[in-house]
Structures are given as structure tokens and as C-alpha cells.
Amino acid sequence: MRKDKTNYYLDIADVVSNQCTCLRRRYGAVIVKNDEIISTGYVGAPRGRQNCTDLGYCVRQKLNIPRGERYELCRSVHAEANAIISAERAKMVDSTLYLSGREVETNEIIKNSICCSMCKRLVINAGIKTVIVRDTPEEYRIIDVADWIKNDESIAGEFGY
């Protein structure tokens, strides 16, 4: 049976995630505009650097850092960032980014995942209009990137900046 286009692109993001070199979670991202794939990305160390799979350990895992915290300690570049780095901005304006993630140990789809704050900034500046995140093999969430701009997560005001 033929899948709808959204799940088709999420399936591609899921396949892209298989290239991931993170020991905790696999993410794949696909940027699409006008039904054409612009770029793909997966989680992995910067080019030329050793991946966690090469080293055999994850710093964040060793330090028991929970999901969503202290990404600056991670060796990897996130899937969304790698997809954005590999595309021309002009092609990304008003595009859609499809994101699929799985737990490495169980291969389960990561439910309720979302771009980290750093990747949100990249998505906004790339001009991407929509992010679609897989929650189950058939279900997903559609996120309007304009909402990330309107609902600025800045905490600078709390510190008087």
C-alpha cells in the first residue's frame, strides 16, 4: 500500500538515521521543498573527528546527562544541523524539515522529540517553514516554525539582558 507523502519523507528520514554514529539516539533529517529533497542529515561528529561509535563511549552517557540537556558536551552535529549545512539557503526558504529519531538500544521511535534550542535557531535562520516530527510509525506532529519565533524561549530577560 502506498503511503502518504508525509510518512514517505519520514520513512526516508528514518533510513537516513541509520548512518548515525551516536551511541544514544539515532536521528535523521530530510529537507523537502516542492516535493523535492533538498538535503539530508544524520547525527555524527564533525568531518575528520572521531565519532562516539569509533571511541566506544558517549561523554553525555558517561556523565548521566538526561535527554535535552548539556548538548554542548556532545561530540556530534545534530541531524537538522547537518541537513541545513548541506543545503543552499535559497532552496530552504519555505521548505519542510522531516525529523525521525530512534533509541539506539531498543530501536523504538522517540516519542515527543523536538529540535533542541540550538537546532531551532538554525531552522529559523535557514528559512524553513515547517518541521514534521515522527511519533509512531504512522503518527507525526506538524510544527509551524513561526511559532518558535513568536514564542521566543529566551531567558535573557530574567537576567536583565
Side-chain angles (χ1 to χ4, degrees), residues 86-123:
S86 297
E88 293 178 40
R89 185 177 188 279
K91 289 185 176 182
M92 287 187 288
V93 173
D94 293 329
S95 66
T96 300
L97 185 144
Y98 295 85
L99 184 65
S100 182
R102 290 186 181 264
E103 298 288 351
V104 170
E105 285 186 21
T106 64
N107 201 39
E108 290 179 18
I109 292 172
I110 301 167
K111 293 175 179 64
N112 299 316
S113 62
I114 190 74
C115 300
C116 74
S117 60
M118 292 181 287
C119 286
K120 282 181 180 179
R121 286 178 257 172
L122 294 173
V123 167

Side-chain angles (χ1 to χ4, degrees), residues 2-50:
R2 189 174 168 147
K3 286 193 169 193
D4 62 273
K5 282 287 180 150
T6 300
N7 276 301
Y8 168 74
Y9 288 122
L10 286 168
D11 285 351
I12 293 171
D14 196 45
V15 170
V16 169
S17 78
N18 288 320
Q19 292 300 109
C20 179
T21 58
C22 177
L23 296 171
R24 296 176 86 174
R25 292 180 183 87
R26 293 188 343 244
Y27 275 96
V30 177
I31 300 173
V32 177
K33 184 174 181 179
N34 298 327
D35 210 19
E36 179 182 345
I37 294 174
I38 307 279
S39 180
T40 65
Y42 56 87
V43 180
R47 287 182 174 100
R49 287 190 169 178
Q50 287 188 309

Side-chain angles (χ1 to χ4, degrees), residues 39-95:
S39 180
T40 65
Y42 56 87
V43 180
R47 287 182 174 100
R49 287 190 169 178
Q50 287 188 309
N51 293 295
C52 293
T53 53
D54 298 327
L55 296 171
Y57 66 89
C58 166
V59 171
R60 292 179 68 238
Q61 204 167 32
K62 273 188 167 184
L63 298 173
N64 292 316
I65 297 170
R67 174 179 164 190
E69 296 179 18
R70 304 293 315 267
Y71 285 120
E72 73 276 9
L73 298 177
C74 180
R75 294 188 64 77
S76 294
V77 177
H78 289 180
E80 307 95 313
N82 272 323
I84 290 167
I85 289 165
S86 297
E88 293 178 40
R89 185 177 188 279
K91 289 185 176 182
M92 287 187 288
V93 173
D94 293 329
S95 66

Side-chain angles (χ1 to χ4, degrees), residues 126-138:
I128 294 168
K129 184 177 183 176
T130 308
V131 174
I132 300 179
V133 185
R134 174 164 272 167
D135 285 326
T136 72
E138 300 297 325

